[in-house]
Amino acid sequence: MPASRRVGRLIPHNGGHRLQLVEDTAPRPGPREVLVQIEAASLNYRDLLVLRGQLGPVREGLIPLSDGAGRVVATGADVTRWRVGDWVAPIFYRRWIAGPFREAYGPAALGGGDTDGVLADLVVVPEASLVRIPDGLSFEEAATLPCAALTAWQALVVRGRLAAGDTLLVQGTGGVALFGLQIATALGARTIVLSSSDEKRARAMKLGAWATVNYKTTPEWDVEVRRLTDGLGATHILELGGPDTFDRSLRSLAAGGHIAQIGVFTGFGPHSNLIRLQMINGTIDGINVGSGEHFEAMNAFLETHGIKPVIDKTFALADAQAAFDELAGGRHFGKIVVRL
Ligand SMILES: NC(=O)c1ccc[n+]([C@@H]2O[C@H](COP(=O)([O-])OP(=O)(O)OC[C@H]3O[C@@H](n4cnc5c(N)ncnc54)[C@H](OP(=O)(O)O)[C@@H]3O)[C@@H](O)[C@H]2O)c1
């Protein structure tokens, strides 16, 4: 077993944290644990919130990032599910293997609070908290799935029951939004993509969007969504903006439609008057990533439909801080990956 590992850790900085790269002793798996050589990790908007201290206290020295993929390099004595060489990804909520979510699972979310994440070339993971990654994906591609893709999957498929002929609205061209677009397209639904960039709108059309709206030059994008849908509105919405976008999402929603409340781009503030939701028999579901069982079902779907995650840029571990800066700049289309 390897004696040492390279790892990124968060140290306090200017009221938030910054990344420090160090070498330390490689962990050893317990009887029901697996040692995984992480080959790639990816960043989510949440990782910026963790870095800035916006999700509450973070243990000094925490290993950030929830999303990674790699290969099994050693197994504990009682491990039955995995063998050395298997290609795997850890699940976001280490203890949410299957069944309904429980609040007690929250603190075990990778890469936040007191729970180490995957920005290390060797990590130990309980055998039940791993899934096999889809055939045909590279480690970089598979590393984008555990949070971003699974959130879109739970929102659209598990909870939203999106079907052919439905119309999805997504906000922006980041990770969750583009996975939403790809999953919806594979299901035969049409997707309207909001973006602040005309260049990204063109890329979204190439990826399968049915229509796009520039939310900067068309701030009343709800009016445009209704116009595009002959006055009916979108049947499904991935609400990523939060307080500043929620009213317009409500006004963009078709009768009987489904809003997946997911994001906090504009903050954690209070939400709108929900009377319109009542008047149109609409539904809001709060979405928090997904379970290992959801992850496995999604992977089968991605394999069947040959869906490839959209990677914008890949950074070396030595440049991991630059990967955070790139995410904060908002220039990306899809995912930002760190190669370990
Ligand atoms: N509840 C959950 O389980 C869960 C899971 C994952 C993510 N999230 C949340 O979902 C959101 C998306 O996460 P992500 O990792 O996919 O983000 P991301 O990849 O960083 O997405 C960034 C992109 O979103 C767009 N955007 C930013 N502000 C916007 C606004 N006010 N209105 C519309 N679009 C805006 C921009 O796209 P353009 O450049 O095209 O304008 C930006 O480039 C975040 O708030 C995150 O915290 C929640």
Side-chain angles (χ1 to χ4, degrees):
M1 255 185 262
S4 67
R5 66 171 176 179
R6 292 176 310 146
V7 55
R9 292 187 180 278
L10 295 186
I11 55 169
H13 179 69
N14 280 349
H17 308 90
R18 75 174 173 80
L19 196 62
Q20 188 179 51
L21 295 174
V22 293
E23 193 155 320
D24 63 18
T25 310
R28 290 185 172 261
R32 302 294 302 269
E33 293 178 332
V34 171
L35 183 66
V36 179
Q37 182 174 325
I38 297 289
E39 298 283 350
S42 82
L43 280 77
N44 291 288
Y45 189 77
R46 166 186 180 257
D47 301 311
L48 280 182
L49 299 174
V50 170
L51 194 80
R52 294 169 180 158
Q54 284 176 274
L55 291 185
V58 162
R59 169 171 47 80
E60 186 168 345
L62 182 87
I63 303 174
L65 304 193
S66 56
D67 290 11
R71 67 180 97 229
V72 173
V73 289
T75 54
D78 298 333
V79 167
T80 55
R81 290 186 64 204
W82 307 106
R83 291 192 183 156
V84 170
D86 285 345
W87 288 32
V88 292
I91 61 178
F92 183 92
Y93 282 110
R94 187 162 271 184
R95 294 171 55 208
W96 192 12
I97 313 297
F101 184 73
R102 296 181 198 287
E103 278 195 57
Y105 299 159
L110 299 185
D114 193 30
T115 304
D116 281 331
V118 297
L119 190 61
D121 57 10
L122 289 167
V123 299
V124 161
V125 186
E127 69 162 331
S129 307
L130 288 168
V131 300
R132 186 184 70 79
I133 65 182
D135 283 343
L137 294 195
S138 65
F139 286 120
E140 285 90 342
E141 289 166 337
T144 67
L145 303 177
C147 175
L150 191 55
T151 299
W153 173 262
Q154 202 210 153
L156 296 178
V157 178
V158 180
R159 308 282 286 282
R161 303 192 178 282
L162 185 86
D166 285 337
T167 304
L168 168 67
L169 174 68
V170 299
Q171 297 169 347
T173 54
V176 176
L178 291 193
F179 278 117
L181 163 62
Q182 290 178 293
I183 291 167
T185 304
L187 287 169
R190 56 189 195 178
T191 302
I192 303 173
V193 176
L194 302 181
S195 176
S196 58
S197 151
D198 290 338
E199 189 247 321
K200 291 185 185 180
R201 286 170 63 203
R203 291 172 76 181
M205 290 301 286
K206 280 202 188 127
L207 197 62
W210 173 70
T212 66
V213 181
N214 186 320
Y215 63 87
K216 288 277 188 237
T217 56
T218 308
E220 294 187 342
W221 43 264
D222 50 317
V223 175
E224 185 60 8
V225 169
R226 298 199 80 82
R227 190 191 67 75
L228 286 164
T229 53
D230 299 325
L232 296 175
T235 57
H236 292 72
I237 298 178
L238 298 187
E239 218 322 295
L240 304 180
D244 291 357
T245 53
F246 198 85
D247 273 342
R248 289 196 192 282
S249 287
L250 267 181
R251 293 200 288 269
S252 304
L253 189 66
H258 179 263
I259 293 181
Q261 169 54 42
I262 294 171
V264 292
F265 282 139
T266 67
F268 297 83
H271 275 166
S272 328
N273 183 336
L274 295 180
I275 283 298
R276 178 175 154 75
L277 197 75
Q278 170 190 326
M279 299 313 283
I280 63 166
N281 282 291
T283 305
I284 305 176
D285 269 339
I287 302 297
N288 201 346
V289 194
S291 67
E293 196 176 42
H294 296 147
F295 198 166
E296 281 170 345
M298 176 186 77
N299 286 349
F301 178 90
L302 298 178
E303 257 177 39
T304 302
H305 293 274
I307 293 176
K308 298 268 188 189
V310 179
I311 295 175
D312 184 283
K313 269 200 185 121
T314 301
F315 291 81
L317 177 59
D319 301 323
Q321 182 63 53
F324 277 93
D325 297 342
E326 184 73 17
L327 188 76
R331 288 176 298 275
H332 56 290
F333 181 84
K335 298 297 299 180
I336 293 170
V337 169
V338 174
R339 174 85 207 180
L340 286 105

